[in-house]
């Protein structure tokens, strides 16, 4: 694999079949020490080697750049464009370095938990893989232990996680916050704020709202996509059918009400509350308010509708919430004129 992603392959000029000394070759699995003594030679079982060979062949034989989507940055994330022949333990994901390798937790860990100590203060009492990096091989290979032995890691475990059982995101969020309330070592207000900052706000602002402002439109019949709405009456220039947006209002607002409910229910910091409200105003200014909502929010009652107030077609009437005695009915046309209703005392 050269720089730039080009694959350089050697040409096979000849092939020779070599007869094996034995009729069959066996792969054995030894239960306890995974080592087999054969003819005075200690042999380790080769399951891991077989897996490596099969994974390597999968990358070499079953992969082609033709399978990758064109010009998408995320489409090459899991593609085998680089094959590593030597793995440095210090360069793998940090999650693997945080695995415990001790055979028990010392009493200091339990006392610290009772005192609600910060996890970083108890880090020195728990041996982890990270501390074994760069140590002699004997300490790395033979020193990994576990706290609870088992003969079958899958025995008695859940066959389906709760995350897959719960359908909507609202159900999953309620279950998470309910669990946080039940655990004394967890601050449910902190959990709620973390959900907002790491998931909902990012999705609302950097994801869905941003995608809506940059979206394309597509034809419902031929699936042609346009960067802007066609000027030909909003019709597809290829087949004349209607074009529709690719990002809809519902996908932008899906976490908005949940975020506002979290701010109202839990002790969220004022800064995070204001971020949610600013997003609410941005989304409201983009899509507008539902019919009648703006008037009610400003203390007006809606009378009539598109049929008009007082029997006149195309009109709408608004009356202040104080009742008929507070002010007379305000009526305006809505056919071609956009009217803005101000509170009492302003014109």
């Amino acid at each position: 694999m050269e720089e730039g992603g080009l694959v350089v392959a050697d040409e096979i000029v000849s092939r020779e079949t070599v007869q094996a000394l034995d009729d069959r070759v066996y792969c054995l699995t030894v239960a306890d020490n995974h080592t087999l003594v054969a003819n005075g030679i200690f042999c380790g079982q080769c399951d891991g080697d077989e897996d490596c060979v099969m994974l390597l062949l999968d990358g070499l034989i079953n992969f082609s750049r033709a399978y990758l989507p064109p010009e998408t940055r995320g489409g090459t994330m899991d593609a085998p464009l680089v094959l590593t022949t030597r793995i440095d333990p210090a360069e793998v994901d940090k999650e693997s370095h945080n695995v415990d390798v001790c055979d028990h937790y010392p009493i200091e860990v339990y006392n610290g938990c009772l005192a609600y100590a910060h996890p970083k203060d108890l880090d020195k009492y728990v041996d982890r893989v990270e501390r074994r990096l760069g140590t002699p091989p004997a300490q790395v290979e033979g020193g990994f232990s576990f706290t609870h032995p088992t003969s079958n890691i899958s025995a008695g475990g859940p066959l389906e996680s709760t995350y897959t059982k719960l359908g909507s995101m609202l159900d999953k969020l309620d279950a998470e916050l309910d669990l946080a309330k039940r655990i004394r070592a967890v601050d449910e207000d902190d959990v709620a704020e973390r959900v907002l900052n790491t998931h909902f706000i990012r999705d609302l602002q950097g994801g869905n709202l941003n995608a809506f402002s940059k979206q394309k439109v597509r034809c419902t019949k031929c699936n042609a996509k346009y960067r802007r709405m066609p000027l030909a009456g909003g019709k597809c220039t290829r087949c004349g059918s209607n074009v529709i947006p690719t990002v809809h209002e519902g996908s932008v607002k899906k976490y908005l009400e949940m975020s506002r409910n979290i701010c109202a229910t839990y002790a969220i910091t004022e800064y995070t509350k204001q971020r949610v409200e600013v997003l609410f105003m941005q989304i409201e200014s983009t899509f507008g308010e539902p019919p009648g909502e703006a008037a009610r929010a400003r203390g007006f009652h809606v009378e009539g509708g598109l049929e008009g107030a007082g029997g006149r077609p195309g009109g709408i009437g608004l009356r202040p919430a104080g009742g008929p005695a507070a002010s007379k009915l305000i009526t305006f046309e809505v056919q071609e004129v956009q009217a803005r209703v101000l509170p009492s005392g302003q014109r």
Side-chain angles (χ1 to χ4, degrees):
M1 183 75 70
E2 291 185 340
E3 185 177 358
L6 297 178
V7 178
V8 178
D10 294 332
E11 182 180 358
I12 300 175
V13 297
S14 64
R15 184 180 64 182
E16 180 183 357
T17 302
V18 179
Q19 185 65 34
L21 298 179
D22 299 320
D23 294 336
R24 291 181 175 86
V25 178
Y26 297 92
C27 178
L28 302 179
T29 299
V30 183
D32 297 329
N33 53 17
H34 306 283
T35 302
L36 176 67
V37 180
N39 297 332
I41 301 176
F42 286 90
C43 304
Q45 62 188 68
C46 59
D47 292 348
D49 297 332
E50 291 174 345
D51 293 339
C52 292
V53 171
M54 287 187 290
L55 291 174
L56 176 63
L57 291 177
D58 184 64
L60 295 177
I61 298 177
N62 299 329
F63 171 73
S64 171
R65 279 186 173 270
Y67 299 151
L68 300 179
E71 300 180 358
T72 55
R73 182 170 59 180
T76 60
M77 183 179 300
D78 298 323
L81 300 179
V82 178
L83 301 178
T84 304
T85 59
R86 191 182 190 92
I87 299 178
D88 186 352
E91 296 178 354
V92 299
D93 291 339
K94 298 298 183 181
E95 288 83 356
S96 61
H97 296 167
N98 292 328
V99 177
D100 299 347
V101 292
C102 54
D103 57 359
H104 70 282
Y105 295 129
I107 191 63
E108 289 82 1
V109 173
Y110 297 97
N111 290 334
C113 293
L114 290 175
Y116 294 93
H118 196 279
K120 290 185 177 180
D121 298 335
L122 306 178
D123 177 68
K124 58 185 177 181
Y125 299 112
V126 180
D127 192 10
R128 295 178 291 111
V129 173
E130 184 178 12
R131 298 182 180 177
R132 304 293 183 91
L133 299 179
T135 58
Q139 184 178 357
V140 175
E141 297 174 359
F144 284 15
S145 302
F146 43 84
T147 56
H148 296 78
T150 179
S151 59
N152 186 355
I153 194 173
S154 300
L159 300 178
E160 183 181 4
S161 66
T162 306
Y163 189 86
T164 59
K165 292 180 180 179
L166 298 174
S168 65
M169 179 58 67
L170 180 60
D171 294 335
K172 296 174 182 178
L173 177 63
D174 291 340
E176 179 182 2
L177 296 176
D178 180 67
L179 180 62
K181 294 178 181 178
R182 296 170 182 267
I183 302 177
R184 288 188 298 169
V186 176
D187 183 1
E188 63 268 22
D189 297 324
D190 181 68
V191 173
E193 182 147 0
R194 288 175 184 268
V195 171
L196 290 175
N197 290 324
T198 61
H199 184 55
F200 284 0
I201 293 180
R202 292 183 181 182
D203 193 89
L204 286 168
Q205 185 174 23
N208 296 335
L209 191 59
N210 187 39
F212 181 83
S213 63
K214 300 179 180 179
Q215 68 173 313
K216 298 179 180 180
V217 294
R218 68 175 183 87
C219 175
T220 57
K221 185 175 181 180
C222 67
N223 205 34
K225 294 184 179 180
Y226 301 91
R227 186 167 175 264
R228 294 290 184 266
M229 180 69 70
L231 297 178
K235 302 290 184 178
C236 178
T237 58
R238 297 182 182 180
C239 65
S241 300
N242 295 327
V243 294
I244 60 174
T246 55
V247 181
H248 299 277
E249 179 180 352
S251 62
V252 179
K253 292 183 173 180
K254 62 181 180 180
Y255 295 142
L256 183 59
E257 286 304 317
M258 283 188 282
S259 301
R260 300 187 76 191
N261 291 335
I262 290 176
C263 293
T265 305
Y266 297 92
I268 307 299
T269 61
E270 195 63 31
Y271 173 74
T272 303
K273 287 182 178 179
Q274 291 183 12
R275 289 188 67 189
V276 174
E277 287 304 311
V278 168
L279 281 173
F280 172 74
M281 290 187 290
Q282 290 178 351
I283 294 176
E284 188 182 64
S285 65
T286 301
F287 299 101
E289 299 178 359
E293 295 271 340
R296 295 189 187 95
R298 291 172 173 83
F300 288 92
H301 293 310
V302 179
E303 295 190 4
L306 293 179
E307 297 79 6
R312 294 192 300 174
I316 187 171
L318 299 173
R319 187 184 300 278
S327 176
K328 65 179 181 179
L329 185 67
I330 305 172
T331 305
F332 56 90
E333 300 294 330
V334 294
Q335 291 179 346
E336 296 182 357
V337 180
Q338 293 183 352
R340 182 184 179 191
V341 181
L342 299 176
S344 178
Q346 301 183 26
R347 302 186 65 183

